[in-house]
Amino acid sequence: MVVRRIEEVASRRLAAKFSDDNDTGARPPRGGTDPEPTDEPMDPLLTRTPLTTLDEVQLLDTTLRDGEQMPGVSLTPAEKVDIARELDAAGMHLIEAGSACTSEGEREAIRRVADEGLDATVTSFARGVKADIDHALDCGVDGINLVVPASDKHVETKVGSTRDAVVDRTVELVEYAKDHGLWVEVLGEDGSRADLDYLERLLGAGLDAGADRICYCDTVGAADPERTAEVVSRLADRGPTSLHTHDDLGFGVANVHAGLKAGADTVHGTVMGVGERAGNVALEEVAIALDRSYDIDTVELERLYRLCRAVSDATGVALPPNKAVCGANAFAHESGIHTDGTLKDGTMYEPYPPETVGRERRLVLGKHAGRAGVKAALAEHDVAVDDDELSEVVSRVKELGDRGKRVTDADLLAITEDVQDRERDRHVELVDLSATSGGNLPTASVRLRVGDDERVASGTGSGPVDAGLEAVRAALAGDSSGEGVSFELDSYHVDAITGGTDAVVTVEVDLSRGDRSVSVSATDADITRASVVAMVDGLDRLLSVAAGDGSAPDTASLADD
């Protein structure tokens, strides 16, 4: 397959400080340095063998099925369609859209995904019963993932059957599905704990009956890489083999690599690793690891972060800050030594450029900040300081960080203004806010001072905070439509800093406008007020940069041309 390409992700001005070829030298040596010629046997640790002979590994995404089985996650049909579109745009090969046997609502969601005309193969999960296949056919999917019990625990205790009966039933169901034109993959549930001879017999019978492929399932994440390699090597000799791994022992990605090396060619997983218990293997981690370490293509890497954000927004599962690829800290640098090194060479403290996965590098300020990082952060806001001023700003930033506080852009700029004894006229200020969340339609009204004018506007949303944001947009647009306002709310985070029902919360937001971004925080007992104050303060900072000369900008400049 020719991997689809998209336009290169735009970088902020900070990224322009690094050379275009900052990928050079980012990868570690593969197999060590070349040794001098010798008659002595080569140390196997210095000899690198390919992970697989394949140039491309296919990915099957089961976020919409296995991922949705994560406690507390429930996706609407519209959300499933949106995620499926993102998966398809990223070049996902197969999408398991759900489990058609679940409910009529689930079947409606699967139908809508199947009707999207995606390039990906769309499938439904099916148990070892004919009715599940009929439900899948009714949904118009391309194929099924037929799951049959493999371990004695599942064969005897879960379904109360026998090995022979399961084999016979599997053959019958595969033939039925193939007769109806479906693509079929047979998965041996709990295969990692199954008797290997029986597992091979069961899945081999599925292939003989016409199944397109079989799948090794480490259903409870109990296997290690050695066990995975042993099982997959046997199965791959029978036919095309997939891998379905979970991360209960932290072996999710390791088991994928062991399985691929043993002969598998397709990997099941979910975006962000969402799923039951400790979750499934994270497909974004599989994709970047295969590309960077083994030159193996999977999907469009540049779409990975956008895909993770889409799944996070739909499921309500936050992106862990220390998560590979999509975590907030994956390309963030605070340590003075690290920041200085990164400013000099983008590969100094990163294994690959953030643009590879659709990210941007961030310099974070705190008690570990150094002069280079603070100076670079100020330069992002077009603020110049001399050496003495820089020293004082760095000292105050560290002092703020020592108190356990995240130093936002607004904090940095306020500190600098104080050090330079410079007053700044506010361009946008919140005068009044009211919000109601009762009834079916949360509403908020704001009064803003914009330059010398006062503007009043209202907005509605899914909650009072969302309504407040829409009201701010409308006020800045100068009318009730809110159209044309170009700022974006990139991230929104809430922390309770006191306990009890009267807890005080801190809201942190990241706003952007064009290639400018700003981080701001606000604290209040009212989460809606804290949110709106933070957003307005952020917009004020963005407008201050736009003004440049200290005069109030024309707020019409906020609108798109």
Side-chain angles (χ1 to χ4, degrees):
M1 183 186 95
V2 178
V3 178
R4 289 168 287 179
R5 301 294 176 194
I6 62 170
E7 293 183 356
E8 182 178 356
V9 178
S11 301
R12 295 179 183 166
R13 290 184 306 149
L14 180 61
K17 300 177 185 292
F18 309 101
S19 69
D20 293 335
D21 61 349
N22 67 344
D23 195 22
T24 303
R27 305 183 189 210
R30 298 185 174 185
T33 57
D34 293 334
E36 293 294 328
T38 176
D39 293 332
E40 294 296 322
M42 176 70 75
D43 183 340
L45 292 178
L46 298 180
T47 304
R48 178 183 180 273
T49 57
L51 179 71
T52 174
T53 58
L54 299 172
D55 293 326
E56 178 191 70
V57 168
Q58 292 197 102
L59 300 184
L60 181 150
D61 180 86
T62 182
T63 303
L64 305 183
R65 198 274 301 176
D66 214 352
E68 194 185 23
Q69 291 178 188
M70 179 176 183
V73 172
S74 180
L75 299 172
T76 66
E79 288 169 335
K80 284 202 172 190
V81 169
D82 288 343
I83 293 174
R85 287 172 179 164
E86 288 291 340
L87 290 167
D88 195 56
M92 197 65 60
H93 306 89
L94 303 104
I95 299 173
E96 190 175 38
S99 181
C101 64
T102 301
S103 66
E104 180 54 39
E106 178 76 344
R107 287 190 284 278
E108 174 59 25
I110 296 173
R111 288 189 196 101
R112 290 180 58 177
V113 172
D115 288 343
E116 279 293 304
L118 306 178
D119 290 337
T121 297
V122 178
T123 69
S124 170
F125 175 93
R127 300 167 301 173
V129 294
K130 181 175 173 290
D132 284 19
I133 299 176
D134 290 334
H135 282 311
L137 287 166
D138 181 59
C139 292
V141 294
D142 302 311
I144 59 170
N145 306 99
L146 179 63
V147 180
V148 295
S151 69
D152 288 339
K153 187 183 295 291
H154 281 245
V155 171
E156 298 171 0
T157 304
K158 179 181 175 182
V159 301
S161 187
T162 65
R163 290 183 176 186
D164 290 342
V166 170
V167 171
D168 292 342
R169 186 63 171 162
T170 298
V171 169
E172 177 186 338
L173 293 172
V174 169
E175 291 175 344
Y176 179 78
K178 294 303 294 182
D179 287 344
H180 286 77
L182 292 173
W183 174 92
V184 178
E185 178 184 55
V186 180
L187 298 82
E189 188 173 16
D190 203 23
S192 60
R193 297 191 297 185
D195 175 77
L196 185 47
D197 290 336
Y198 172 67
L199 179 66
E200 186 178 4
R201 174 190 164 203
L202 171 65
L203 297 185
L207 287 170
D208 292 341
D212 295 271
R213 61 173 42 250
I214 54 179
C215 183
Y216 161 78
C217 294
D218 184 21
T219 304
V220 296
D224 54 41
E226 290 76 19
R227 173 63 175 173
T228 299
E230 177 189 13
V231 177
V232 173
S233 63
R234 290 268 295 270
L235 298 180
D237 285 342
R238 296 299 303 264
T241 302
S242 305
L243 300 162
H244 183 105
T245 68
H246 284 257
D247 207 35
D248 297 78
L249 296 180
F251 277 140
V253 173
N255 284 339
V256 164
H257 286 210
L260 291 174
K261 195 159 189 173
D265 61 9
T266 298
V267 178
H268 291 205
T270 62
V271 178
M272 294 169 53
V274 295
E276 298 173 284
R277 305 180 315 277
N280 298 55
V281 70
L283 286 182
E284 69 275 7
E285 295 180 8
V286 172
I288 190 63
L290 291 181
D291 176 80
R292 301 305 297 179
S293 296
Y294 303 103
D295 292 323
I296 297 172
D297 285 335
T298 52
V299 295
E300 291 289 350
L301 301 181
E302 299 95 334
R303 303 279 302 204
L304 290 180
Y305 180 59
R306 173 173 174 167
L307 181 56
C308 291
R309 286 288 300 270
V311 170
S312 176
D313 291 344
T315 61
V317 178
L319 296 169
N322 60 336
K323 180 81 166 57
V325 179
C326 60
N329 295 340
F331 301 99
H333 305 275
E334 177 181 334
S335 166
I337 295 174
H338 283 209
T339 298
D340 182 62
T342 300
L343 287 167
K344 292 173 180 174
D345 182 345
T347 68
M348 191 73 70
Y349 290 103
E350 292 171 353
Y352 56 90
E355 295 83 7
T356 304
V357 293
R359 299 291 303 275
E360 295 172 344
R361 185 175 290 110
R362 294 192 308 122
L363 299 182
V364 179
L365 300 180
K367 69 178 182 179
H368 301 294
R371 292 172 61 88
V374 172
K375 186 174 182 179
L378 287 171
E380 279 294 286
H381 296 281
D382 289 338
V383 175
V385 291
D386 60 31
D387 287 345
D388 290 340
E389 291 169 343
L390 179 59
S391 296
E392 179 60 23
V393 171
V394 170
S395 177
R396 295 197 190 184
V397 166
K398 287 179 175 290
E399 180 183 348
L400 201 56
D402 278 333
R403 301 208 303 262
K405 189 177 187 303
R406 177 195 175 195
V407 182
T408 65
D409 293 325
D411 295 326
L412 174 65
L413 294 172
I415 288 170
T416 306
E417 289 159 5
D418 187 56
V419 167
Q420 293 182 330
D421 195 22
R422 173 167 50 87
E423 292 188 3
R424 179 182 64 86
D425 293 331
R426 289 190 64 105
H427 304 303
V428 182
E429 188 173 9
L430 179 66
V431 178
D432 191 27
L433 164 70
S434 63
T436 58
S437 57
N440 296 324
L441 191 63
T443 304
S445 299
V446 297
R447 180 185 302 158
L448 300 183
R449 182 174 294 113
V450 183
D452 295 329
D453 300 330
E454 275 198 1
R455 297 185 183 180
V456 177
S458 61
T460 59
S462 58
V465 172
D466 188 39
L469 173 60
E470 293 307 311
V472 170
R473 287 188 188 277
L476 288 174
D479 57 45
S480 60
S481 70
E483 294 294 327
V485 177
S486 60
F487 77 88
E488 296 293 336
L489 177 62
D490 296 323
S491 70
Y492 174 89
H493 180 72
V494 179
D495 275 324
I497 58 177
T498 62
T501 56
D502 59 346
V504 174
V505 299
T506 292
V507 174
E508 296 179 351
V509 299
D510 290 338
L511 301 177
S512 64
R513 176 171 170 256
D515 64 350
R516 300 281 187 175
S517 66
V518 65
S519 58
V520 184
S521 65
T523 300
D524 200 284
D526 184 332
I527 187 173
T528 303
R529 174 168 291 278
S531 301
V532 173
V533 167
M535 287 186 283
V536 171
D537 286 352
L539 286 167
D540 179 57
R541 288 293 179 179
L542 288 173
L543 282 173
S544 297
V545 174
D549 59 1
S551 61
D554 179 1
T555 54
S557 65
L558 276 175
D560 295 328
D561 293 333

